[in-house]
């Protein structure tokens, strides 16, 4: 995926760089797990461009299970300030890197894996986090844990959820392996903060979308993006009435850096573009519109229903995040449009 060959993608990154001050990252060492994923790969691209255009001299430690995949995703891995780290969140980890910042984003993120691999999903979210936190006890590092809006569970309220809103989650449903382990991981973070004094902040991204997604990503916002960009009609397996906080991947990346730099120890912050809250059907219709394809509705199969997020409303209140000085730059129309055009660029390049 040669995303940085897309002029529109680079333009979006440069607009973020022009809009915010990231000078606090100058000369810092930043360790990133899950660097090939939708969210963290956008962070890596943004940090690389900050080095390129602002000369921030940030050292990037890119941790992943598949180093060759990381090399293919990022064309700049041979640069002196980019260090590739073999990393598996399910095995013990020896940390000899003495970094200033840690961004922890390694996790199963595709709903079908929550059902297919619930044990691995829970282990990577808890064991992998535990290993990193243990290794940081005697350091002055600041840690950003990337959680999820799924920690809120099922809530009847129809207004955007605040950081203290929590609802029901079925603990005997293997689909809950993701949401429950994210909840437990957040408690593990605050426990390390209380007992060992670690400087940890938590981010709860809503539904993040955009061209940094993998072609194998089965989340509906990702699969629809690729299908539409390839000229295929979209088939929604529900009425699509569920309300979601959609945030463009690069807006999410800038938000996470703001939480990392300015977030208060022990606090959790929703990541949501307040101008991009809409239904799943709305999201699909935008993709179809900008790709020139059609949107159809069908009843889901029983095995498909098992993977569905049970939250009818997972829109997020972003006031706490915006108080740090952050704002989203792309509207939902611009975000979905750019996602289609950039993905088409990628397809044509490949």
């Amino acid at each position: 995926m040669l995303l940085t060959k897309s002029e529109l993608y680079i333009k979006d990154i440069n607009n973020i760089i022009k809009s915010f001050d990231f000078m606090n990252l100058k000369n810092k060492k930043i360790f990133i797990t899950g660097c090939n994923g939708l969210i963290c790969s956008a962070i890596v691209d943004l940090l690389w461009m900050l080095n390129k255009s602002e000369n921030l001299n940030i050292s990037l430690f890119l941790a992943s299970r598949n180093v060759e995949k990381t090399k293919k995703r990022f064309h700049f891995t041979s640069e002196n300030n980019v260090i590739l780290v073999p990393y598996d969140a399910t095995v013990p980890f020896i940390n000899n890197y003495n970094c200033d910042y840690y961004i922890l984003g390694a996790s199963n993120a595709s709903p079908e894996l929550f059902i297919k691999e619930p044990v691995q999903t829970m282990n990577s979210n808890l064991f992998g986090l535990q290993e990193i936190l243990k290794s940081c006890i005697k350091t002055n590092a600041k840690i950003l844990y990337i959680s999820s809006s799924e920690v809120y569970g099922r809530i009847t309220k129809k207004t955007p959820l605040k950081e203290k809103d929590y609802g029901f989650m079925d603990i005997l449903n293997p689909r809950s392996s993701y949401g429950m382990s994210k909840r437990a991981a957040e408690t593990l973070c605050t426990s390390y903060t209380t007992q060992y004094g670690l400087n940890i902040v938590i981010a709860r991204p809503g539904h993040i979308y955009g061209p940094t997604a993998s072609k194998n990503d089965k989340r509906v916002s990702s699969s629809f993006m690729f299908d539409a960009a390839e000229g295929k009609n979209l088939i929604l397996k529900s009425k699509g009435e569920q309300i979601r906080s959609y945030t463009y991947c690069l807006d999410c990346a800038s938000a996470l850096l703001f939480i990392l730099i300015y977030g208060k120890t022990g606090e959790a912050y929703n990541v949501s573009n307040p101008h991009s809250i809409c239904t799943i059907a709305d999201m699909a219709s935008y993709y179809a519109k900008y790709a020139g394809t059609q949107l159809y509705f069908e009843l889901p199969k029983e095995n498909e229903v098992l993977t569905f997020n049970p939250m009818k409303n997972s829109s997020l209140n972003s006031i706490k995040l915006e108080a740090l000085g952050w704002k989203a730059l792309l509207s939902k129309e611009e975000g979905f449009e750019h996602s289609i055009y950039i993905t088409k660029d990628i397809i044509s390049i490949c």
Side-chain angles (χ1 to χ4, degrees):
M1 278 178 55
L2 301 176
L3 264 176
T4 48
K5 297 293 184 182
S6 167
E7 292 183 4
L8 181 55
Y9 184 69
I10 294 299
K11 181 180 178 181
D12 286 342
I13 293 178
N14 283 328
N15 284 339
I16 287 173
I17 291 174
K18 292 174 185 176
S19 301
F20 301 113
D21 180 5
F22 295 106
M23 289 303 295
N24 283 16
L25 298 178
K26 187 175 179 63
N27 299 322
K28 299 299 185 183
K29 296 179 179 180
I30 304 179
F31 190 100
I32 305 171
T33 71
C35 65
N36 295 327
L38 190 163
I39 291 176
C40 286
S41 65
I43 295 175
V44 174
D45 287 335
L46 176 53
L47 292 171
W48 171 70
M49 280 298 294
L50 282 167
N51 275 347
K52 188 177 176 66
S53 64
E54 304 298 311
N55 297 313
L56 293 193
N57 191 36
I58 301 166
S59 295
L60 298 174
F61 293 76
L62 306 184
S64 68
R65 285 181 297 181
N66 190 333
V67 171
E68 290 305 313
K69 182 179 179 181
T70 305
K71 290 180 181 179
K72 290 180 180 178
R73 171 59 181 82
F74 306 107
H75 74 274
F76 45 83
T77 54
S78 60
E79 296 180 5
N80 290 334
N81 57 351
V82 179
I83 299 91
L84 300 180
V85 181
Y87 172 79
D88 186 334
T90 63
V91 300
F93 173 66
I94 298 174
N95 183 2
N96 295 319
Y97 301 100
N98 193 29
C99 291
D100 302 291
Y101 291 119
Y102 288 79
I103 300 175
L104 307 183
S107 174
N108 277 347
S110 188
E112 67 171 9
L113 292 179
F114 306 160
I115 298 295
K116 185 180 179 181
E117 301 177 355
V119 174
Q120 291 90 330
T121 296
M122 296 200 75
N123 279 343
S124 64
N125 282 338
L126 290 170
F127 180 80
L129 174 63
Q130 164 94 345
E131 289 292 295
I132 296 286
L133 297 185
K134 281 194 304 184
S135 74
C136 290
I137 288 177
K138 295 182 180 181
T139 73
N140 292 318
K142 187 170 185 180
I143 301 164
L144 169 64
Y145 177 65
I146 302 177
S147 185
S148 168
S149 62
E150 289 211 23
V151 299
Y152 291 114
R154 271 183 268 175
I155 296 179
T156 56
K157 68 182 294 187
K158 296 181 180 180
T159 55
L161 307 176
K162 296 181 180 180
E163 283 80 1
K164 293 295 185 181
D165 292 329
Y166 300 108
F168 171 78
M169 194 177 295
D170 184 356
I171 63 175
L172 296 182
N173 181 349
R175 173 63 177 74
S176 299
S177 59
Y178 181 74
M180 288 298 295
S181 57
K182 285 293 187 181
R183 280 185 171 185
E186 288 196 21
T187 304
L188 187 63
C189 285
T190 195
S191 298
Y192 266 86
T193 294
T194 301
Q195 188 168 341
Y196 298 107
L198 265 62
N199 187 358
I200 307 173
V201 288
I202 297 166
R204 295 173 182 164
H207 288 254
I208 312 305
Y209 69 93
T212 54
S214 165
K215 188 72 166 62
N216 299 321
D217 190 336
K218 299 304 181 183
R219 286 172 285 193
V220 65
S221 58
S222 298
S223 60
F224 274 13
M225 178 186 71
F226 282 105
D227 286 346
E230 292 173 352
K232 300 176 183 177
N233 290 328
L234 306 181
I235 301 174
L236 188 56
K237 296 298 184 76
S238 72
K239 292 181 180 180
E241 296 173 335
Q242 304 95 319
I243 300 171
R244 303 290 185 246
S245 275
Y246 288 104
T247 304
Y248 184 56
C249 56
L250 290 173
D251 275 330
C252 176
S254 67
L256 292 172
L257 291 182
F258 257 70
I259 296 170
L260 177 66
I261 298 169
Y262 303 111
K264 182 179 177 182
T265 301
E267 294 289 328
Y269 298 83
N270 288 334
V271 177
S272 169
N273 179 350
H275 306 294
S276 190
I277 294 174
C278 61
T279 66
I280 292 176
D282 289 334
M283 173 271 295
S285 66
Y286 281 121
Y287 277 147
K289 173 184 176 181
Y290 295 121
T293 60
Q294 299 297 314
L295 171 63
Y296 300 100
F297 296 82
E298 285 185 4
L299 292 174
K301 298 177 182 177
E302 185 175 348
N303 64 313
E304 292 172 326
V305 173
L306 293 176
T307 67
F308 288 0
N309 184 335
M311 300 170 69
K312 299 298 182 184
N313 170 36
S314 61
S315 62
L316 303 178
N317 183 303
S318 57
I319 291 176
K320 189 174 178 180
L321 170 61
E322 290 178 296
L324 299 179
W326 176 85
K327 64 178 180 179
L329 297 186
L330 275 74
S331 66
K332 57 179 178 291
E333 293 84 0
E334 291 170 323
F336 292 125
E337 181 180 27
H338 287 205
S339 295
I340 291 295
Y341 291 166
I342 294 169
T343 305
K344 283 185 176 182
D345 283 347
I346 297 168
I347 293 171
S348 66
I349 292 169
C350 294

